[in-house]
Structure formats: C-alpha cells, structure tokens
Amino acid sequence: MPVLDRIIQRITAPGITRVAIDGPDAAGKTTMASELAARLDRNVVRVSVDDFHNPPEIRRRQGSLSPKGYYEDTFDYDAFRAHLLEPRSPGTVLIVDGVFLLRPELRSYWDLSIYLDVRPEETLRRALIRDVGLFGDAVRERYTLRYLPGQAHYRALADPLSHADIVIDNNDPESPKLVASR
C-alpha cells in the first residue's frame, strides 16, 4: 500500500520515536497503527489512548452524552504523559492510536503525527456495525449526541488537520489517500 510505504519511510527517519495516529471514532486508527507496527523492523511499542480512560464518574461528570465532556473528561492525560510520553526508550518506536491526540497539550510530544480524516456520516456507518456489541441499540444516539459533536468540538478547538504531519483521507480504508504531508 503506497500510503503505508510513505509513512514507514517517515517513521524510519532518524529521531522518530513517538508516532500519533489520530482521527475520529471508527476512522481506522487501530488498524493502521497495527499494520505499521507489524511492518517496522525496529522495536515497537503499540499503545492506545484508550488504555488511559478516566473512571466512569469522571468521564460522565458533564453527562453521559455530553460532547464537551467527551473531549474534556474521557482520558487521564496526566497519567498518559507521565507513564507513556515522557519516558523514552532508545531504539524503540512508540505508536499510539486514539482520539484527540493532537490537542494542544500533547502536540509537542509527537515526532510524527498522522490524522485519519473520515466524514461524520462514514464514521456513523462504521460505528453502527462495529459498536453494536458495546452500546446495543444506543449506538446511533451515542454517536449523534456525543461522539460526532465531540469530534466537531475538537476540530474547532484544536484544528488537528492543520497540526498533523500527515493527513490521510480514510473514507475508503481499502484505498487511503494522502491529503497532506509536511
């Protein structure tokens, strides 16, 4: 896949040790991160920001369907930075996938940042397939009221597409398109 080949070239450049793969829910972040990790011939640590969820009482303090709460309260960024981003392991590449990775307080940690751009209606289409086991019949409601507006809030506040080193149109995951490379 030519897009992955170009990303691999960037990751193998000197000084690249922390890679972020950001994008909306159901954009293909985990899949891409795992494919990249499998193709690298260096020591790789694969992590998701989902490993740093705040407890439910913090995640839902603004309401279980709050888009602002989704952006502000979902993750424990202090622990994320302290346990994952601040320590460095020589010769190891850290590949992290997750939402909101290009928020202002995290940007400086990434040696390479990738944003997978997917239209909201495609995100919802994928979620209605992928997340039924997690949310049951509430998938559409959760995405319509919390996740999609939370992503819109993030894009308006943090402008991740302008800050990403690489932007990929991933509306068709079988044929990702390189949109920008800085």
Side-chain angles (χ1 to χ4, degrees):
M1 173 183 285
V3 170
L4 282 182
D5 291 340
R6 290 186 69 176
I7 294 170
I8 293 286
Q9 287 177 338
R10 293 283 298 270
I11 293 173
T12 57
I16 302 295
T17 60
R18 287 183 265 172
V19 179
I21 302 178
D22 191 357
D25 305 271
K29 299 175 299 296
T30 301
T31 300
M32 179 170 280
S34 296
E35 288 176 8
L36 290 171
R39 291 185 53 188
L40 284 170
D41 60 357
R42 295 168 62 182
N43 293 329
V44 176
V45 175
R46 262 288 291 118
V47 181
S48 174
V49 74
D50 287 339
D51 297 329
F52 293 87
H53 272 113
N54 273 318
E57 60 273 10
I58 294 173
R59 287 197 315 265
R60 293 180 178 82
R61 66 181 162 201
Q62 296 185 59
S64 65
L65 295 176
S66 167
K68 190 175 175 199
Y70 178 46
Y71 178 72
E72 293 177 355
D73 301 330
T74 300
F75 302 106
D76 182 346
Y77 291 111
D78 290 335
F80 183 64
R81 283 189 297 268
H83 297 292
L84 190 65
L85 297 179
E86 290 170 358
R88 284 195 179 247
S89 298
T92 300
V93 174
L94 172 67
I95 299 178
V96 181
D97 72 87
V99 296
F100 311 140
L101 294 179
L102 292 175
R103 54 193 300 137
E105 66 270 30
L106 297 180
R107 285 183 200 141
S108 66
Y109 287 98
W110 307 116
D111 301 311
L112 181 66
S113 58
I114 301 162
Y115 188 87
L116 301 183
D117 193 22
V118 176
R119 292 183 309 274
E121 58 272 13
E122 177 61 15
T123 295
L124 180 59
R125 187 193 71 74
R126 293 177 192 181
L128 288 168
I129 297 166
R130 183 190 78 175
D131 291 348
V132 169
L134 184 60
F135 299 123
D137 293 336
V139 174
R140 183 177 300 279
E141 177 186 49
R142 292 195 66 77
Y143 273 80
T144 303
L145 298 178
R146 181 172 171 92
Y147 299 128
L148 293 174
Q151 284 293 329
H153 176 71
Y154 169 53
R155 285 190 305 276
L157 200 65
D159 194 13
L161 281 91
S162 293
H163 293 281
D165 297 309
I166 298 171
V167 177
I168 297 169
D169 174 336
N170 207 40
N171 284 291
D172 178 359
E174 297 301 318
S175 183
K177 294 175 181 64
L178 186 66
V179 175
S181 181
R182 298 165 186 86

